[in-house]
Structure formats: C-alpha cells, structure tokens
Amino acid sequence: MRRIRANAIAILTVAWILGTFYYLWQDNKPQTSPSSASQPRAAGARIHGQKGSSGRLEIHREDRTIPLIVTHPPRAEQQLQLMGGFEEKAYLAGKQMKPGEDPYREHAFNLQESNRLGSERAIRDTRHYRCASVNYDADLPPTSVIITFHNEARSTLLRTIKSVLMRSPASLVQEIILIDDFSSDPEDCQLLSQIQKVHCLRNGRREGLIRSRVRGANAASAPVLTFLDSHCEVNADWLQPMIQRVKEDHTRVVSPIIDVISLDNFAYLAASADLRGGFDWSLHFKWEQIPIEQKMARSDPTLPIRTPVIAGGIFVMEKNWFNHLGQYDTHMDIWGGENFELSFRVWMCGGSLEILPCSRVGHVFRKRHPYDFPEGNALTYIKNTRRAAEVWMDEYKQYYYSARPSAQGKAYGSIAERTALRRKLNCKPFRWYMENVYPELRIPEQEAVSSLLKQGDQCLETRGADDLVLGECRGHGANRPASQKWELVEPFLRQQDLCLAITAFTAGSKVKMEPCSTKEPKQRWRPRGTALQHMVSGLCLDSQTPGGPPAITQCRPQVASQSWVPQLIT
Ligand code: UD2
Ligand code: MN
C-alpha cells in the first residue's frame, strides 16, 4: 500500500514538472502564428490584452496604451505568394554553425541566437502611443528598398527582408534591391531573388557600402529610395511617416529612430526618442540629447526632430534629389564617413535632415567590424573623413586635423569632382552650417595669442568698458599696455574675460567691452580680409577716424578705417 502511494506521488510529481516545462515552453515561443498572435505576453508588466481594430493587440500598462505587435502574419497562401519559389528552410540550413564554433566569430553578433529566432518574430511596437493615430496620405509614392551587404548572416538578412515585406503596405514597396558586395557565397543573395519583389545585384569585386548603394540607387525604379543595413527589423508603420515627409517636401532626407537589437540575445529594445545625430571634431559620430530649448518646445512627440547628421544606414530620400545632390562620393571606400559627407551636403545645398519618431527600425549595433578592410580600417576611415572635411568644412577643417593629427599627410585622392559639384550646386559655407544647424558644436579653445590691432601706428585701445579709442601704440614686447593687448579667439576679440561687443545691430552702433559669453551674438566676430566683421549684423569694425569712436559700419573693402592688422606680441 505504501509502495502504491509512493508510486502515485512520484508519477504526480513527474507530471507536474513536465506540465510546468510545457507551460514555460509555450510561454517562450515566438508569437508569430495567427492563433498565438492573439495571446501575446509582455514581460513583467501588469497587462490586460485586448485586440484592437487593426488586428493589433493593445496592451494597457497602468497609465497608457502601448500597442503591442504588429507582425500581421500573412495567411498561408499569401505567404506562399510573397515568398515565390523561395525555400526558406533549405536557404537557412545551407549555412549552419559548426559544433563548438564561437557564435560571435563571423558576424560580431551571436549567430546562434539569430539562427534560433527564425525569420519572422513579433517585436514590440516601440512608438509613442500617439503615433498610432497619425494619418498618412492614401496616395504615397512607392519606394525601392536598397540593402547592401558583405558576408551578412543568412538569418539576419532574411529577417530584414521579411520584416520589410510583412510590415509595409504592399503598394509602397516597389522592389527590394540587394547588392551583394562580393560576399564569399554568391548564393546568399541569388537564392533570395526568388522572393517576390527581391532583386539581387552582385559586385564583381569588393566595392564597399558607398559604391554599392550608388549601384543600387541607379538600378532603382521607384521615385523614392529607402536605404537599410542588412541586419535590421522594421517596426509597425515604419515606412509611411518617412515617405509622407518626403512627399510633402522633396528636399527632406529622413530617418527613423533606430531601435537596438541586442547583439547577444537579439532582444528588440526601444531607443530613446530624445536623441539626434552629432559628432566631434575628429568626425566621430555620436548620439546626443536634443538641445534643451528644442526639447521644451516639443509639444507633440510625433513631430520630426531636426538632426545635424544622420547615422547613415537607414534613411529615405527622393531619388531625383539624391541624384541632383550628387549621390555619394564614390571615391570613398568600404565603410565610414559617407554619412557626414551626405549630411553636410544635404544641409548646405538646400535640404534638411530629420528623425521621425513615429518610424522605428531595429538594427544590430556591433562593437567591431566583422569584415576586413583591404587598406586597413584606420586608413580607410581617415581617407573617407578627410575627403568629407576637405570638400565641405572650409576653414573649420583645421579643427578636424587638430583632433585627428594622424590624418595629416595621408592619401585621400582627388576631390576636384566633388568641389566642382559643390560650386555647381551653389552650396552654403560650412560656417552657415555651424551657425544654423549645429551651433552646439563648440569650437575648440585655441591657444590665446596676444596681438595688437593696428591701423598704421595707431592701436585699438580700451580706456574703460564703454570707452574704446584708436590710440598711439605704446611700449614694446611684453611691456605693451594691457589695454592694447587683444586675444583673437574666434569668434571673440578678448581682453582677459571681457569681450568686444556691439551695442546694437544697426550701422553706426558703438562697440563696448562686456563679460564674455558664448551665448551672446553681439560678441561674435570673424576676419574678412583685413576687416573684422560682426557675424550676425554683417557690419565691420570701423575706427571712424578722424574723430568718431569705433563703431560698426557697412563693410567696404580696402577702406583704411576698417583695416585691422593684427600684430603678434611676442
Ligand atoms: C553605420 C551605419 C552604416 C554606415 C556606417 C558608416 C546605421 C544603422 N549603420 O555603421 O549604414 O552608414 O555607419 O559608413 O546607421 N557593407 C558592404 N560592404 C562593405 C562593408 C559593409 O556592403 O564593404 C554593408 C554591411 O553589410 C551593412 C552596411 O554595409 O549592411 C553597413 O555596414 P555595418 O553594418 O558594418 O555598419 P554600422 O552599422 O556599424
Ligand atoms: Mn549595421
């Protein structure tokens, strides 16, 4: 009897353990099939599921509604049609990891995890909930999606393509153009062209992403171009907001918020909606907070965010505008720098760049390049960024060279064609970009050198904060009076911590000294020939001799009273 009871307890225990495992396994299964899509779960949150009208499940998490997912899994027959004669299982099985192989070795992300995920999976709709009620035109123009890759993993590449096909209105995706940048196995690309709308172009040699994208753009038949990296997953309604902005104004170049797909476990993580693209003087891209004034002024979280530069991989641009602006600098190799070149060119030649918070695309960010650079990684980056700096940054390129001294003297090829393009397009100076698009980028503190500001044997002199005169230059070397010593640290004309400022923006206004402030437009000057021009008013510092006090007047070339010759004090 005891034996029977013991057996019964053992059987029940085993059944309970198996039941628990089965339950957990069900719980972890990706929610992709139509039946399971109606029962998704959100990790950790107190939620109540409810199916929305769009077939999307809405999750109420305490205070607001977060629409969950969005796979819109096509029905079996639609799926078959979409995938044409493509045999997914065979394609993925054709490249499997060898037992014991380091899953990060080949692609710098966890390949095992990517392969395990399958080609479709539900991801969280990471947009602000208000995005779901934004309307888009019914007659948006279609786009050609351009994806270049070099030895991409089959599972990530296929997921990129399928996410585009599944999460975009079919009428908007005219085609997907893959450019196989001379990957080791041509079949990685070729086999995919059996999928509806997918075309495959293969480079006969390694070109790098810049020339590959140009090849893709030249082959595109739709009026709008959409560029994607080869390891992305697009999210709900990602395409409409971007095409809408470009349709309204063809000079806009727009990108989504780029969400993070973990390189370790491939979790899809929402990126902050308060970021824009920025850089430092070494031309190193970084995400940065949008300036506080802009943040305060944002009453509507669905509105675009102006960005000084784009990350580079994911953007939408009208094809004619892309061509008109000179596509890309095709003398740039492999990877890097093209995003600066494109961003400067777009802004300076009459366009704009923005990030659209209602468009979200996930991307696997990696810590290293999984591929080789025939000329070496550092030299290639220097060549590409040097080309961008030489063509677009005018006198500001000196800061690039100070920040990246190793760039000096390195080969970067001829830039004649690109400077000719800049002239032909009549683009604005980099100074304009600095003042209007990226004033937050600080000019590095230069070593302050003391100079006299001379006109003949007369010197600009302070006699009090409100009293400037043209007085006789006095003393020698270190014995020059402090009242005649100026530090020219663009954009300031400084004496200790006081700066030369205009009193008003109109011609004839006097100048005075006041505490230096980087925010004060009245203190900003720049050299113009031998004249000193006030940056904002455009007027020139004039000694108004004989008689008058120094003031700002209309700039006139070669006029003695506006000619200031700095003489270094050594
Ligand atoms: C970022 C951009 C990337 C590009 C780069 C600067 C995002 C999400 N990604 O780097 O698009 O602008 O900055 O250049 O903004 N590839 C080739 N041929 C090559 C090398 C790369 O086709 O010789 C492909 C590669 O397979 C990938 C794409 O180009 O699809 C971008 O390369 P990445 O993913 O290594 O660059 P990433 O994301 O670090
Ligand atoms: Mn990438």
Side-chain angles (χ1 to χ4, degrees):
M1 191 65 191
R2 287 237 319 263
R3 192 110 156 249
I4 294 172
R5 201 191 302 155
N7 276 347
I9 291 174
I11 289 167
L12 279 174
T13 313
V14 169
W16 179 75
I17 292 172
L18 286 176
T20 311
F21 272 119
Y22 179 71
Y23 175 80
L24 289 174
W25 174 71
Q26 281 291 320
D27 201 31
N28 280 335
K29 256 198 339 193
Q31 316 289 335
T32 49
S33 68
S35 55
S36 63
S38 60
Q39 296 288 316
R41 311 180 71 88
R46 269 199 284 138
I47 52 173
H48 319 278
Q50 187 189 337
K51 200 147 184 190
S53 57
S54 59
R56 178 181 309 151
L57 200 104
E58 274 149 22
I59 297 299
H60 301 286
R61 191 191 300 219
E62 257 112 45
D63 54 342
R64 60 181 182 176
T65 302
I66 299 173
L68 191 70
I69 192 46
V70 204
T71 9
H72 297 311
R75 263 191 280 278
E77 68 279 14
Q78 278 174 325
Q79 173 94 1
L80 267 179
Q81 203 188 26
L82 202 70
M83 300 310 283
F86 178 67
E87 289 184 39
E88 177 173 316
K89 277 212 180 85
Y91 179 74
L92 294 173
K95 279 272 176 66
Q96 280 300 326
M97 278 181 60
K98 294 168 199 74
E101 193 184 323
D102 170 6
Y104 291 83
R105 190 183 57 87
E106 237 184 305
H107 302 284
F109 56 62
N110 187 342
L111 180 62
Q112 195 172 8
E113 203 55 31
S114 173
N115 290 352
R116 204 182 61 82
L117 270 183
S119 65
E120 294 162 29
R121 63 155 167 174
I123 49 173
R124 189 159 79 82
D125 182 345
T126 47
R127 296 171 300 167
H128 190 279
Y129 70 98
R130 276 165 68 179
C131 293
S133 44
V134 175
N135 291 319
Y136 305 103
D137 294 354
D139 60 343
L140 291 176
T143 185
S144 299
V145 178
I146 297 167
I147 303 171
T148 172
F149 69 94
H150 175 72
N151 288 341
E152 182 61 67
R154 288 188 173 189
S155 53
T156 36
L157 181 57
L158 181 60
R159 225 174 4 256
T160 309
I161 296 168
K162 284 186 91 173
S163 75
V164 170
L165 292 172
M166 292 188 312
R167 302 205 184 106
S168 319
S171 60
L172 292 189
V173 178
Q174 182 149 320
E175 59 192 353
I176 300 179
I177 301 179
L178 303 177
I179 301 95
D180 168 5
D181 190 13
F182 202 52
S183 303
S184 320
D185 183 354
E187 290 204 334
D188 289 354
C189 192
Q190 277 162 13
L191 293 173
L192 292 169
S193 58
Q194 290 162 344
I195 303 175
Q196 230 188 45
K197 298 189 182 180
V198 175
H199 308 292
C200 168
L201 305 173
R202 179 172 162 87
N203 291 339
R205 57 166 192 201
R206 179 86 176 279
E207 296 288 357
L209 71 92
I210 297 119
R211 288 192 288 278
S212 301
R213 280 187 195 154
V214 169
R215 183 168 179 209
N218 287 338
S221 59
V224 176
L225 306 176
T226 300
F227 294 94
L228 279 183
D229 272 12
S230 46
H231 32 256
C232 292
E233 278 166 77
V234 302
N235 210 320
D237 298 340
W238 70 295
L239 199 49
Q240 297 92 316
M242 297 200 278
I243 299 188
Q244 177 79 39
R245 291 293 289 176
V246 169
K247 182 191 170 206
E248 285 165 9
D249 177 347
H250 74 276
T251 67
R252 288 177 187 149
V253 175
V254 299
S255 35
I257 291 186
I258 306 181
D259 284 335
V260 175
I261 301 174
S262 159
L263 65 93
D264 294 313
N265 62 13
F266 277 73
Y268 188 103
L269 308 166
S272 158
D274 288 335
L275 300 178
R276 62 175 196 174
F279 57 90
D280 62 22
W281 287 106
S282 68
L283 291 185
H284 172 84
F285 177 86
K286 58 181 186 192
W287 297 105
E288 60 182 33
Q289 289 288 327
I290 53 180
I292 188 77
E293 317 82 72
Q294 280 177 43
K295 204 162 158 177
M296 305 290 273
R298 280 178 72 75
S299 52
D300 179 352
T302 68
L303 292 179
I305 298 165
R306 267 165 58 102
T307 185
V309 288
I310 51 170
I314 310 177
F315 63 97
V316 173
M317 184 169 184
E318 202 194 61
K319 181 173 166 155
N320 284 338
W321 184 235
F322 180 74
N323 289 339
H324 173 79
L325 284 188
Q327 302 188 318
Y328 269 124
D329 178 353
T330 51
H331 291 287
M332 290 187 177
D333 301 324
I334 306 296
W335 177 98
E338 93 294 342
N339 52 331
F340 296 112
E341 196 272 345
L342 177 78
S343 300
F344 298 159
R345 185 154 46 86
V346 166
W347 276 116
M348 289 161 63
C349 310
S352 62
L353 292 177
E354 50 193 40
I355 295 171
L356 305 181
C358 289
S359 177
R360 295 260 184 172
V361 174
H363 169 257
V364 187
F365 288 92
R366 294 180 283 201
K367 297 187 182 126
R368 64 174 172 89
H369 298 287
Y371 39 76
D372 64 311
F373 286 66
E375 312 281 324
N377 179 346
L379 276 185
T380 306
Y381 200 71
I382 283 177
K383 175 183 173 186
N384 294 354
T385 50
R386 203 172 167 191
R387 290 182 68 82
E390 285 289 336
V391 175
W392 296 100
M393 289 173 73
D394 303 330
E395 69 274 21
Y396 290 81
K397 71 184 179 198
Q398 61 173 302
Y399 305 122
Y400 163 77
Y401 288 112
S402 320
R404 208 180 261 280
S406 58
Q408 262 150 13
K410 297 275 162 39
Y412 63 98
S414 163
I415 52 167
E417 277 173 36
R418 299 306 282 182
T419 48
L421 169 80
R422 181 175 167 178
R423 266 195 306 278
K424 187 187 91 187
L425 294 174
N426 203 9
C427 306
K428 298 187 183 84
F430 197 77
R431 186 181 288 280
W432 175 89
Y433 174 86
M434 288 293 294
E435 285 168 12
N436 296 280
V437 180
Y438 203 13
E440 295 78 17
L441 178 61
R442 295 262 56 92
I443 289 169
E445 273 285 308
Q446 295 142 321
E447 240 176 81
V449 213
S450 291
S451 316
L452 302 173
L453 285 174
K454 288 183 84 171
Q455 272 183 7
D457 51 8
Q458 305 272 89
C459 280
L460 186 66
E461 177 176 344
T462 48
R463 292 204 173 143
D466 293 325
D467 191 10
L468 281 105
V469 294
L470 196 63
E472 198 179 320
C473 302
R474 300 189 304 278
H476 287 283
N479 293 331
R480 300 280 188 187
S483 60
Q484 291 186 351
K485 276 191 205 163
W486 295 89
E487 283 170 358
L488 314 177
V489 185
E490 262 204 80
F492 303 112
L493 295 172
R494 216 163 63 180
Q495 282 189 349
Q496 279 93 39
D497 44 10
L498 295 183
C499 280
L500 185 75
I502 59 170
T503 48
F505 291 91
T506 44
S509 304
K510 289 208 308 181
V511 291
K512 63 171 187 176
M513 299 302 289
E514 60 180 34
C516 299
S517 157
T518 49
K519 295 227 167 69
E520 182 47 82
K522 291 187 172 146
Q523 299 175 5
R524 294 168 165 253
W525 303 87
R526 65 171 155 234
R528 183 173 159 178
T530 59
L532 289 169
Q533 184 178 34
H534 180 255
M535 276 183 24
V536 185
S537 65
L539 300 168
C540 281
L541 182 66
D542 195 322
S543 61
Q544 301 202 102
T545 43
I552 43 168
T553 61
Q554 219 45 258
C555 296
R556 286 161 297 156
Q558 317 296 339
V559 165
S561 64
Q562 288 186 358
S563 177
W564 303 94
V565 183
Q567 183 192 314
L568 284 186
I569 301 175
T570 46

